[in-house]
Amino acid sequence: MASALGMTATLAGCGGPGDSSDVTLRLVAADYGDSKANSSQKYWDKLVDAYEADHPGVDVEVSVYPWTDVDRKVKEMVAAGHAPDMAQIGAYADYAAKGQLYKVDDVLSIPVQANFESQLTDAGEMDRTQYGMPFAASTRLLFFNKTLFSQAGLTPPETWDELAADARALKAKGVKFPYALPLGPEEAQAETMQWLLSGGDGYTDDVGTYSIDSQQNVDTFDWLKDELVGKGLTGPVAPAKLNRADAFAAFTRGEVGMLSGHPTLMKTAAAKGVKFGMVPMPGVDGRAKATMGVADWMMAFKKNGHGEQVGDFLDYVYDDKNVLAFSHEYDLLPVTSSASDAMAADKDDADLAPFLEELPTAVLYPVGKTSWAGVSADVKKQIAKAVSPGGSPAGILGSLQIAATTADSAAQSQG
């Protein structure tokens, strides 16, 4: 099936409008829906129908795959020599490093390219050239159960000390997970990054060099181990065994006092009748200077030579009405400044406003590094050991740092 998806009319390099009379563009995209009813295929089918109605010379075929499969599908297609024209997936760096992608300024019009939120543009760059186009974004906030907080006479925390004190009070009231700390393999790299940022550092320093074992990061995990996990404030499931999906599900059952969450948790919690509030993530001495942002990526492959047609289609994809339609369907944040302004001004989007306010200072994964995928996988496997009984935060972060530095050096020598 993958090879069939990648087969394309041999019209490489076609230029004028007359030459594009029978071009077929193929896009492979990820599914953001959780059922057939809200599958991303519906979003793309509607968008493509509208585009094709105004562009009779271009057909666009979109194949949507679950997140568990889509990155692998694209990798297989590219390896088989049948790259799609476009892919909307989780990472772009490997393809950019191999020279397989168009530069963004070779496909998008200047107004559309300039409209991306600046930190998302930066995250889409490799060696100061943009190859990744942000497609969807989210940020994180601290969710808290208002009912449980009210019963314990608490207010939402602004500092780590207050968070620990609130967790102790919640535990005394019998709350199952005072603070849910999902460091299981599903998405441990996200919870880790949120805490590293909360402690004043992150995965990389200001010039993009891995700094996983910095003193600030070690201090952060020392605190988590000693003040939360070690004092039994993270619940009956060890952080190593707690995945994000399970933590979210426990929150919707009213079993969690606090956790770090993204916009999709709002809908599921509300549907279960959980009364919740959201505040910026606490920092050591006050609200964290930065929160975590996540973006997914659109990229354009050079293989089929359809750069002009791809650019025209993507200009349409990034029109405000389409960006906002996607954001509304899946409780995600717009990736363009104009759509963000429109969302901020719309009273119907008030529930997303706190997440939107965090976006300008959000820090993203170092996705411009080809080594990041391996480093992220290492974090998922290893980081929970740092807070386990007898675990050493300095030791675990140190070993992760060595592996990251080695992988980064190898990637740069191949580049």
Side-chain angles (χ1 to χ4, degrees):
M1 188 68 183
S3 59
L5 287 170
M7 298 303 287
T8 306
T10 53
L11 292 165
C14 294
D19 293 333
S20 63
S21 57
D22 54 356
V23 169
T24 297
L25 300 179
R26 288 179 169 83
L27 164 63
V28 176
D31 195 352
Y32 289 77
D34 54 15
S35 67
K36 204 166 183 180
N38 70 345
S39 166
S40 296
Q41 191 73 54
K42 287 189 171 183
Y43 169 82
W44 286 112
D45 287 349
K46 184 176 179 182
L47 184 151
V48 165
D49 285 347
Y51 179 79
E52 290 179 344
D54 289 333
H55 300 79
V58 181
D59 291 327
V60 183
E61 295 181 2
V62 184
S63 301
V64 172
Y65 293 100
W67 271 111
T68 48
D69 299 330
V70 69
D71 289 280
R72 177 177 53 81
K73 286 281 186 185
V74 173
K75 190 174 183 180
E76 289 172 353
M77 291 167 68
V78 173
H82 301 308
D85 295 285
M86 295 160 284
Q88 186 273 299
I89 52 179
Y92 65 86
D94 281 345
Y95 302 115
K98 292 172 185 169
Q100 295 167 329
L101 302 181
Y102 283 108
K103 299 174 184 175
V104 174
D105 57 12
D106 285 343
V107 286
L108 290 184
S109 66
I110 291 171
V112 172
Q113 187 180 0
N115 195 24
F116 290 131
E117 294 280 3
S118 61
Q119 78 279 27
L120 300 179
T121 293
D122 292 345
E125 291 181 352
M126 175 181 279
D127 297 329
R128 292 183 290 283
T129 300
Q130 188 182 0
Y131 295 96
M133 293 163 267
F135 182 74
S138 71
T139 55
R140 300 289 197 268
L141 291 170
L142 183 74
F143 281 69
F144 64 96
N145 183 309
K146 283 186 171 180
T147 303
L148 299 178
F149 264 60
S150 176
Q151 289 169 354
L154 302 175
T155 56
E158 295 181 4
T159 67
W160 286 2
D161 285 347
E162 290 175 5
L163 186 148
D166 285 353
R168 288 193 296 272
L170 291 165
K171 183 181 181 182
K173 287 284 185 179
V175 174
K176 190 172 182 181
F177 295 90
Y179 179 89
L181 185 69
L183 293 178
E186 180 196 2
E187 210 192 30
Q189 84 286 1
E191 185 74 13
T192 297
M193 182 167 172
Q194 183 59 70
W195 277 101
L196 297 184
L197 292 170
S198 174
D201 204 350
Y203 285 120
T204 58
D205 61 21
D206 292 342
V207 294
T209 303
Y210 284 115
S211 58
I212 298 172
D213 65 346
S214 72
Q215 189 58 53
Q216 281 173 300
N217 289 343
V218 171
D219 289 346
T220 293
F221 267 81
D222 279 338
W223 186 87
L224 282 173
K225 180 177 185 291
D226 296 341
E227 301 301 325
L228 285 188
V229 182
K231 295 196 170 153
L233 302 178
T234 53
V237 181
K241 298 281 174 63
L242 186 64
N243 280 323
R244 183 199 62 177
D246 299 327
F248 278 18
F251 188 83
T252 66
R253 295 193 299 268
E255 298 172 355
V256 174
M258 298 173 278
L259 54 64
S260 172
H262 53 62
T264 54
L265 182 56
M266 294 190 298
K267 191 178 284 184
T268 51
K272 293 290 182 73
V274 175
K275 292 184 172 62
F276 61 90
M278 302 174 299
V279 293
M281 193 70 183
V284 182
D285 299 314
R287 65 173 288 182
K289 293 184 182 67
T291 191
M292 179 185 147
V294 175
D296 300 321
W297 302 95
M298 178 73 76
M299 61 214 70
F301 286 89
K302 296 192 288 190
K303 173 77 174 173
N304 305 312
H306 295 150
E308 184 178 339
Q309 294 88 356
V310 165
D312 189 71
F313 175 67
L314 289 177
D315 277 357
Y316 182 76
V317 167
Y318 285 106
D319 185 270
D320 278 0
K321 70 175 184 292
N322 295 321
V323 172
L324 287 167
F326 189 86
S327 299
H328 289 142
E329 180 65 34
Y330 300 109
D331 282 332
L332 290 163
L333 303 180
V335 294
T336 63
S337 297
S338 55
S340 292
D341 290 344
M343 179 177 277
D346 190 339
K347 290 176 182 172
D348 291 339
D349 288 326
D351 56 345
L352 283 169
F355 294 96
L356 202 58
E357 287 166 12
E358 296 292 303
L359 192 56
T361 58
V363 176
L364 282 76
Y365 297 129
V367 288
K369 288 177 170 290
T370 55
S371 57
W372 168 243
V375 172
S376 175
D378 284 347
V379 171
K380 289 180 184 182
K381 287 179 198 164
Q382 304 292 334
I383 196 65
K385 296 175 186 174
V387 297
S388 63
S392 164
I396 294 297
L397 293 176
S399 64
L400 287 169
Q401 174 69 25
I402 291 168
T405 302
T406 303
D408 204 36
S409 298
Q412 289 176 17
S413 66
Q414 291 168 10

